Every structure is written in structure tokens, then in C-alpha cells.
Amino acid sequence: MTELETIRHSCAHILANAILRIWPEAQFAAGPPVENGFYYDVDLAHRISPEDFERIEKEMAAIISESQPFQREVITRDEALAMGKRGELAGLTPRSESSRFKLDIITRIPAGEEIILYRNGAFTDLCAGPHVADTSKVAAFRLTHVASAFYQGDESNPQLQRIYGTAFPSAKEMENWFAMLEEAKKRDHRKLGKELGLFHIDDAVGQGLILWTPKGAVIRQELQNFISGELAKQGYSQVFTPHIGKIGLYKTSGHFPYYKESQFPAIPEPDQLARIASEGCGCAEMTARLEAVSETFAASLNERAGKEIVAKERVMDPTRLLDGFMLKPMNCPHHIKIFASQPHSYRDLPVRLAEFGTVYRWEQSGELNGMTRVRGFTQDDAHLFCTEEQVAAEVQGCLQLVKKVLTTLGMSDYRVRVGLRDPDSSKFTGNPAQWDLAEQACRDAATSLGVPYTEEPGEAAFYGPKIDFVVKDVLGREWQLGTVQVDYVLPVRFDLSYTGADGKPHVPVMIHRAPFGSLERFTGVLIEHFAGNFPVWLAPEQARVLPVSEKVADYARKIMTEMTAKGIRATADLSPEKLGAKIRLAQLEKVPYMIVVGPKEEAAGQLSIRSRQHGDEGVLAADAFIQRLESEIRDRTLTV
Ligand SMILES: [Zn+2]
Ligand SMILES: [Zn+2]
């Protein structure tokens, strides 16, 4: 537990203690620290609501002001059971009812493991700790909300009230935290996306499916152009592949049926569907026939892998097998087939195939969230096929690209996680020497970035080490973006090869990389990062001409046309509104530049410039301003 988690978990004890002072019959289950706070699950006839918070918080404050030391005590299982039966575990005094959840928790503690109590004042809880020295160390806290939760997360168990709160080592830190939450609410990409008309989600199309409206599409297109330009400089080739592929492709890759919970169901071929329907085939049987493989398929895949990766249970008589398609959950198999469509020599490697590839994953409705958790998304995907010796340079190239893009977007605060294998686990397949090489390549690449990185043993994919990017936005919130993964498994499964310098066939190494995750998620993050104030190169509308009256409408149109002819996204507000109202509207729509024109400006061939960020910027010759705007767009400057 971190220091902050220890404070928060200690506050959970204080919460339980306070609830017991008010409702002595309360029964407690678990009270762990969680991201951003803590909770405690309580079983109580009274429905705790936010109206009760003040009363509970008052008791909590009293317990904190008493500076009660937290005392650790190891007891025997029999002693623990006896205390539980007397209702004294998470109970203030002996009670007629036993501490039933705590007794259940004791039965789950493996024999031979220590049973530990923590006491503060009159309150005793079964808990492995650790805790702060005394209750006063919980310097600032607040209860935040109540939810319901089943005991042990199991729906057949009783439903409990889960009381959430948060705690901090100082009042100042708590104040900052809640101020940040307020700001985050204002920046919420779902709210801003609607206000600024950037994207739409429509029930009639489907939840989790993003409709990019014209303004949002501009942002996406600019990001794609930027990333594509950088990829071209790094020697990537652009490819396009369809949104679906045959089931067999994903049986070979292992994506189906092993990950079927997170995929849209397979689509049988229409004639086969008609045939099995006429035979009266049920859904369960249809599913089994879609998921099964032929003996030949299983044998060849097992032989290539050198072990049984397709179990005998999945083998079916080929006449019963059903063929069909899947909405692609991954782009890899399609890119692999492009690579395999031609013979390769070691001289052609690395082959780098990039695609803004759209994939579909099944997310539970409750998990969906604006643009950041969706069911269809376009990855900034690429697959690199290289020799073992090239892995280090290629991974480094991927990281340099991330650095360039994030720096350009003003997201220079990010860290990198290097997922390594857990040498003690059998989950990681392949040759240890290859793993060592690839892990070292990932470490070296991470070091070359000059940003902090952590090594996380056990976090590798089963087929190779990986690197994740975690970006901190202006509010200090962390966003996990995409990954770079080294893969020794798929090239074998798909029987890929190239001819080496020795004239013999060799298996290439594959690198999967989608460093920004998906355009949907990345754009959602960017909306919040910029609070909708996109830098001029990304802004859907870069400049708006505001004529002060009807008399200068033609001049306004002329300036707008000059700008659009140069590729600048400019409009003119020719409405009869007063100038002040036009400025307010442009400001509300977060347009970077407002260009005010009146008779004086027209006569002199000038423009009065207002920027979203600095307000009035004075008068400039029309040509000079347009040139300045062009160079800001070209240089992708952040300031407006
Ligand atoms: Zn505890
Ligand atoms: Zn891939």
C-alpha cells in the first residue's frame, strides 16, 4: 500500500467506527483503498444517503481529533472467531449479532497465515494493514457517494451499501483535488463534444459507435495527416484493409474463440445459414460449429507452434463446420496476409505496414464512455516485420514517433511502462534468449526517450514484451494510450518467413504498434486536454471574419475567400448581430482568431485581429496576418 492508500484505508476504519457510533448494529464487510479514495461496505437497515454524510463526517472528525493510535495485534484463529461471534470485529462492543461478514472472511484466510487485528480507540477490525500511526494523520477527508454492491461481488450474496470517501494528508491537497474535479467536469469531452459539435452518438446507430460530425472529422483528419506524415518519414507504407475477415483468420491468430467475450459474434455465410436453418440447427449448435476447426487445421497449427494450441475438443467433422466472417477485432491478421502475399528477402526488411484500421470490440453497455470507451474504433495501427537484430532500432523508432506527436500536442508529461515477462510464470511462451533480447531492446528504447519509465515484470503479453504510454494531461490526470508490442508468436502461427543472408528461410519478428491507441480515445483525451481550445492547426474553424456592418460585408467575404484559397478554414459571420455578439459567439465556439473588419480596415487593406487567447492583438496588413496564420498552421504551434 502506498502512503496515500494507507491514509485512505485508515480513513475507512474511521468511517466504520463513526457509523457504529450512530448505528451500533451495522455489519461491515470489506473496506479497501481504491483509486482516488476508499470505501467500506456496510449492511444496515437504514439506507445511508448523502443527507447522512454530515452526521457521519462529524463523528469521523471527532475520532480524528482524538489522535487514537492504530495498534496492530496478531491473534489466533480461535480468538478471532470468538471475537467475531461476540460481534466485536468491526463492532464497538459485544453485540447480540455476530460479525457475520468478518467471520466469513476469517474462513477465507489460508491456514497458517497470521490473523491480524488493528485497533484504534474502541474500534477493532480484522485487517492486514498497514495503517497510519494515529487517526490524526488523516488530515483531510470527505465522504463522496453511496452505491450498492454484492458481498464478494456475487449476486447470490446479500446486497450491501458501499460508502465512498476520499482522504488526503493535508487540507490543501484535498482542496486542489476537488478543484481539479470541477475543472475536469467543465472539460468533460462528452459535454464539450456536444457543445462544440465534434461528435455524436445515436441510439439508432448504436451505443459506443462514434459519429464524427464535420467539425470533429477535421480534427481527426488533421491528426491522421500529421501522424501519416511522420510515418512516411520513418519509411512506413500505408495500406487499407476491409472491416471484416473470415473466421479462420482469427482461429489461426488465436483471437477467436478465446477472446469471444470481447468480440461481436461471428457472422455465418448466408447460404450456410439458410441450410442449417432448414435443418433446424439451434443457436448453441451453430456457435459450436462456427468455433470448431477441422483436424487438418488443428494439426497444422499445432505442428507450427510445436505444442498443442488447438485442443482436441475443438476438432469437428469438416462437413459440419460453418464458415463465416468476423468484424475484425484486430488488424494484425490482415497485415500479416499483405506481408505474406509476396516473398521477402532479408534485404527488404523491415517491412512497415501502417493503417488507420477500424476494429470492433464488444464492451458491456455499462463500460461505454463517450469517445474513450467505445465498440468501434480506429487504431493508429502498424505492423513491422523485421529480423531479430532490427527489433531494437524499430522499437526505438516507434518511441521517437510518440515523442514527436506528444510534444507537438503539448503533452510532454508522460511516462512509459515496459512490460516484461515474469520468469516464474508458464504463461510466457517462446525462447528465453529471444525474450532477453527483446526485453533489452524495449529497455534501451525507453531509455532513449529520456522520460521516466518503469519496468513491470509479469505485464508482458504472453507473446512478447511491450511498452505502454501513460500521458498526464494539464489537470495531472493520467491517460493510458496505446502500446508497442514485440511478437514472436503470430509469425509462427501464420507460417511467415523471409530468406536470410544464408539463403535459408527464417521467421521474422513482428512488432505491433498503436501508440495513440485509437483516434476516438485520443481525440477524447485531446478535447479534455485542450478544454476544446484546439491549437490553430487542429481547430475545426481557424478564423472567423466579423464585419462590423453590412457595408463591409463584401470586404469580409473577400478576406474569407483569400484565406480559404490558401487552405485556411475560415468563415465570415454576416449575420445582422452587433459586433459584441459576434465576438461572444466566436469566443464561445472557441475559434482561435476573430478578424474584425470595418470601413477603416477596408480602406487601408488591414484587419483588426482578436485571438481567443490574448484578446485584442491590434491591426495588421491583411497579407501579413494571413502569412502569419499560414506559418502557425504549418508549424503546428500551440499558442494562439
Ligand atoms: Zn485496515
Ligand atoms: Zn497487431
Side-chain angles (χ1 to χ4, degrees):
M1 235 185 253
T2 64
E3 207 174 317
L4 187 59
E5 283 169 338
T6 307
I7 290 174
R8 289 171 171 173
H9 172 61
S10 299
C11 196
H13 281 230
I14 296 168
L15 166 65
N17 190 350
I19 289 176
L20 285 165
R21 284 186 177 188
I22 305 169
W23 297 282
E25 71 281 17
Q27 290 281 348
F28 290 90
V34 288
E35 197 187 3
N36 306 328
F38 64 87
Y39 68 75
Y40 217 132
D41 281 345
V42 56
D43 191 14
L44 182 64
H46 172 80
R47 295 298 304 172
I48 294 178
S49 75
E51 281 88 74
D52 297 311
F53 285 177
E54 202 183 320
R55 185 147 76 117
I56 301 170
E57 285 173 341
K58 218 170 129 193
E59 289 297 338
M60 291 171 75
I63 294 161
I64 288 169
S65 71
E66 286 161 21
S67 305
Q68 301 173 356
F70 278 98
Q71 286 164 322
R72 184 177 186 273
E73 195 179 316
V74 179
I75 58 168
T76 66
R77 189 169 291 257
D78 286 344
E79 285 166 337
L81 289 170
M83 286 182 74
K85 282 179 192 140
R86 293 194 299 270
E88 288 171 20
L89 294 174
L92 288 179
T93 48
R95 299 183 287 184
S96 54
E97 289 224 22
S98 63
S99 303
R100 53 181 186 274
F101 300 109
K102 299 291 176 184
L103 283 173
D104 183 62
I105 292 167
I106 295 170
T107 64
R108 292 165 194 272
I109 300 175
E113 206 166 278
E114 275 188 334
I115 296 189
I116 303 161
L117 298 182
Y118 267 88
R119 297 181 191 274
N120 65 287
F123 180 77
T124 303
D125 206 347
L126 180 73
C127 169
H131 278 278
V132 293
D134 69 79
T135 55
S136 74
K137 300 291 180 290
V138 180
F141 72 95
R142 192 185 290 177
L143 296 182
T144 54
H145 58 291
V146 195
S148 44
F150 292 101
Y151 178 58
Q152 302 277 343
D154 182 344
E155 287 179 37
S156 58
N157 282 338
Q159 200 171 35
L160 307 173
Q161 304 187 54
R162 179 164 291 179
I163 322 289
Y164 283 94
T166 191
F168 290 86
S170 73
K172 184 76 201 153
E173 280 160 272
M174 188 161 89
E175 200 180 296
N176 290 345
W177 168 252
F178 281 101
M180 190 279 285
L181 281 189
E182 268 313 298
E183 182 60 29
K185 233 186 262 172
K186 280 189 228 154
R187 289 170 178 254
D188 189 325
H189 76 279
R190 294 165 303 181
K191 175 176 168 279
L192 283 175
K194 201 178 174 97
E195 285 168 10
L196 300 174
L198 301 177
F199 71 96
H200 176 58
I201 297 171
D202 199 302
D203 259 336
V205 173
Q207 284 300 314
L209 298 171
I210 302 299
L211 301 171
W212 295 77
T213 47
K215 287 183 175 177
V218 167
I219 296 168
R220 171 171 165 162
Q221 190 62 54
E222 287 291 348
L223 283 173
Q224 283 189 204
N225 292 349
F226 175 37
I227 295 170
S228 298
E230 294 303 314
L231 290 179
K233 286 182 208 161
Q234 284 198 3
Y236 281 74
S237 308
Q238 178 74 50
V239 296
F240 296 103
T241 65
H243 289 216
I244 64 172
K246 288 183 78 172
I247 302 177
L249 205 52
Y250 305 100
K251 287 178 179 170
T252 304
S253 70
H255 292 121
F256 182 79
Y258 299 111
Y259 295 98
K260 67 174 180 180
E261 308 306 322
S262 59
Q263 294 165 1
F264 282 77
I267 311 158
E269 285 187 2
D271 51 344
Q272 296 197 12
L273 192 60
R275 181 170 56 81
I276 61 167
S278 71
E279 290 167 5
C281 167
C283 293
E285 196 197 337
M286 182 180 87
T287 307
R289 290 168 70 173
L290 282 164
E291 289 176 9
V293 293
S294 71
E295 187 137 31
T296 343
F297 177 94
S300 77
L301 201 53
N302 289 343
E303 193 199 321
R304 266 177 284 172
K307 60 177 182 176
E308 193 187 77
I309 53 174
V310 183
K312 286 181 198 69
E313 297 80 73
R314 282 185 59 209
V315 172
M316 191 182 272
D317 177 349
T319 60
R320 294 185 58 221
L321 287 177
L322 281 183
D323 207 352
F325 295 87
M326 296 204 40
L327 288 178
K328 68 181 176 189
M330 301 286 239
N331 300 302
C332 342
H334 286 69
H335 292 181
I336 286 173
K337 287 299 177 189
I338 292 178
F339 177 81
S341 65
Q342 282 183 354
H344 292 277
S345 138
Y346 69 98
R347 288 189 207 89
D348 324 325
L349 301 187
V351 168
R352 309 179 184 93
L353 303 179
E355 179 180 16
F356 291 101
T358 306
V359 298
Y360 299 89
R361 310 251 174 101
W362 186 255
E363 295 274 2
Q364 298 299 321
S365 335
E367 302 285 314
L368 296 173
N369 181 31
M371 287 186 125
T372 55
R373 277 298 275 280
V374 290
R375 286 181 176 154
F377 52 93
T378 302
Q379 295 177 309
D380 59 315
D381 212 357
H383 293 92
L384 290 73
F385 302 85
C386 63
T387 67
E388 197 128 24
E389 295 71 40
Q390 291 168 333
V391 170
E394 291 308 307
V395 172
Q396 197 158 334
C398 296
L399 267 50
Q400 289 309 322
L401 169 83
V402 178
K403 187 173 184 165
K404 174 76 193 278
V405 173
L406 293 181
T407 309
T408 303
L409 291 162
M411 298 176 125
S412 39
D413 195 357
Y414 60 96
R415 61 191 175 90
V416 165
R417 291 193 300 224
V418 181
L420 306 173
R421 72 192 189 280
D422 178 351
D424 297 329
S425 164
S426 59
K427 162 180 149 200
F428 304 96
T429 54
N431 160 346
Q434 278 183 329
W435 270 93
D436 288 341
L437 208 68
E439 290 184 345
Q440 195 49 44
C442 289
R443 277 192 205 101
D444 291 347
T447 309
S448 76
L449 268 182
V451 303
Y453 78 93
T454 48
E455 293 187 11
E456 314 210 340
E459 291 300 309
F462 71 90
Y463 49 77
K466 64 171 186 177
I467 297 179
D468 293 323
F469 304 94
V470 184
V471 172
K472 217 178 237 185
D473 69 12
V474 284
L475 297 186
R477 295 172 305 171
E478 289 201 319
W479 299 87
Q480 147 114 53
L481 298 177
T483 58
V484 175
Q485 306 194 327
V486 183
D487 182 353
Y488 292 103
V489 171
L490 282 190
V492 173
R493 286 191 164 211
F494 281 95
D495 206 13
L496 299 182
S497 75
Y498 67 92
T499 308
D502 55 4
K504 293 187 179 130
H506 294 264
V507 182
V509 183
M510 219 177 134
I511 299 171
H512 310 248
R513 39 117 294 171
F516 307 108
S518 76
L519 290 164
E520 285 75 8
R521 181 171 169 80
F522 195 46
T523 302
V525 172
L526 287 179
I527 295 173
E528 302 201 3
H529 175 69
F530 290 120
N533 294 303
F534 286 97
V536 69
W537 70 277
L538 275 179
E541 185 181 346
Q542 294 168 319
R544 187 178 294 181
V545 188
L546 312 176
V548 298
S549 73
E550 181 73 10
K551 285 188 212 109
V552 282
D554 284 342
Y555 182 57
R557 265 194 219 97
K558 174 173 165 278
I559 296 297
M560 179 189 77
T561 313
E562 268 176 42
M563 287 197 283
T564 49
K566 301 216 161 178
I568 296 168
R569 294 184 289 271
T571 62
D573 183 348
L574 301 173
S575 71
E577 296 294 330
K578 290 240 165 34
L579 180 64
K582 290 182 183 181
I583 291 175
R584 270 195 302 281
L585 183 67
Q587 201 75 41
L588 205 65
E589 294 179 3
K590 301 183 189 284
V591 180
Y593 286 107
M594 288 148 269
I595 301 163
V596 179
V597 292
K600 221 170 61 201
E601 280 85 3
E602 183 174 13
Q606 289 180 325
L607 310 170
S608 283
I609 308 302
R610 281 186 69 86
S611 75
R612 178 182 66 200
Q613 200 174 20
H614 304 294
D616 189 1
E617 291 201 4
V619 177
L620 273 179
D623 289 352
F625 174 72
I626 294 173
Q627 269 177 29
R628 170 182 143 187
L629 192 49
E630 278 185 288
S631 78
E632 284 181 358
I633 293 167
R634 191 178 51 241
D635 300 341
R636 301 195 170 90
T637 49
L638 276 171
T639 48
V640 172

